[in-house]
Amino acid sequence: MKYSTVIFDFDYTLADATSGIVSSFNYAFSKLDIPCFDRESIKRTVGLPLDKAFIQLTKNENEVLINQFLSLFREKANEVMSRDTVLYADTVNTLERLKRSGLNTGIVTTKYHFRIVETLNMHGVLDLIDIIVGGEDVKVPKPSPEGLLLAINSLSEQLDNVLYIGDSLIDAKTALAANVDFAAVTTGTTMETEFLQYPYVKIVKSLSELFNE
């Protein structure tokens, strides 16, 4: 591999947190007397900051309502999110393989930093990640390159040596803005054909497919 650092998105790239996300959304909606949304509609917002996801679903931009939603979402998420997050079958093997090869690993996500730490600890794999940049660590969320560049700088890495892996067009745009190579996995809600409009080195169906060649 030409890279010395591999950085991942989290949701739908390393893990499936759909159950916790959907229940947290609909818990908040029910408390606010907003009609609940189906699983697929909510899944399509994953990767967006929560306030943007709320607006996309409800078409409501009222700041007071959004802040109420965020508070209620976090209330439920604290109960269920880490518990209900499942790592993909090839996630641990992929991370172990990268570490055995001496590569740096990182996660850059809109999800809260503490939530990633909690989830990885629950699965006993926190030591396989060298740097985590979450939504509360940046001023501007993806597709701004801020978080990705923060991770790269923290590892004292050169841009040419970095591969960013994600499942969404937001991730593709983030890599492009940071001027690093991008690989797409179709484990989320974005289809292979949708990635073709952005630069990429590979589009694969799973992480193991990406690294087993």
Side-chain angles (χ1 to χ4, degrees):
M1 178 181 289
K2 60 172 280 191
Y3 307 102
S4 53
T5 292
V6 178
I7 299 176
F8 301 87
D9 172 52
F10 188 73
D11 284 327
Y12 296 140
T13 299
L14 294 176
D16 185 349
T18 303
S19 293
I21 291 169
V22 171
S23 60
S24 298
F25 264 99
N26 283 332
Y27 170 83
F29 288 145
S30 65
K31 291 287 188 179
L32 296 170
D33 292 323
I34 295 173
C36 293
F37 286 82
D38 65 88
R39 186 180 181 91
E40 291 306 310
S41 295
I42 292 173
K43 280 179 67 174
R44 286 193 289 272
T45 71
V46 173
L48 292 171
L50 279 174
D51 56 345
K52 303 298 184 187
F54 176 89
I55 293 169
Q56 179 171 306
L57 287 168
T58 66
K59 315 303 181 193
N60 191 320
E61 299 185 20
N62 182 284
E63 289 189 14
V64 173
L65 190 62
I66 290 172
N67 287 331
Q68 291 175 326
F69 165 78
L70 294 176
S71 178
L72 290 164
F73 180 98
R74 292 178 192 128
E75 180 182 305
K76 186 65 173 179
N78 287 337
E79 175 190 337
V80 302
M81 191 66 70
S82 296
R83 183 195 73 195
D84 292 348
T85 297
V86 179
L87 298 182
Y88 287 127
D90 53 1
T91 292
V92 175
N93 286 340
T94 297
L95 294 175
E96 288 177 339
R97 179 176 178 178
L98 293 174
K99 297 311 296 178
R100 283 197 303 270
S101 299
L103 276 69
N104 297 314
T105 57
I107 293 172
V108 174
T109 175
T110 55
K111 211 177 190 100
Y112 288 121
H113 185 139
F114 78 88
R115 192 83 67 200
I116 300 299
V117 171
E118 185 178 66
T119 301
L120 295 180
N121 262 327
M122 288 185 71
H123 291 278
V125 294
L126 183 60
D127 61 328
L128 298 178
I129 299 293
D130 298 304
I131 183 73
I132 298 169
V133 177
E136 73 270 47
D137 299 321
V138 297
K139 294 180 179 178
V140 185
K142 297 188 298 183
S144 163
E146 181 187 351
L148 186 51
L149 293 175
L150 175 60
I152 293 167
N153 290 336
S154 296
L155 294 169
S156 300
E157 188 58 277
Q158 301 297 312
L159 295 178
D160 289 348
N161 296 329
V162 176
L163 177 67
Y164 186 52
I165 302 171
D167 67 282
S168 72
L169 297 186
I170 292 173
D171 298 320
K173 293 174 184 177
T174 302
L176 179 61
N179 197 30
V180 302
D181 283 352
F182 175 69
V185 286
T186 56
T187 40
T189 61
T190 306
M191 295 184 295
E192 178 177 350
T193 53
E194 296 178 80
F195 286 113
L196 301 180
Q197 60 188 303
Y198 294 98
Y200 63 90
V201 293
K202 281 186 180 179
I203 303 174
V204 296
K205 295 177 181 178
S206 68
L207 295 176
S208 56
E209 184 181 339
L210 183 62
F211 294 110
N212 279 346
E213 297 181 7

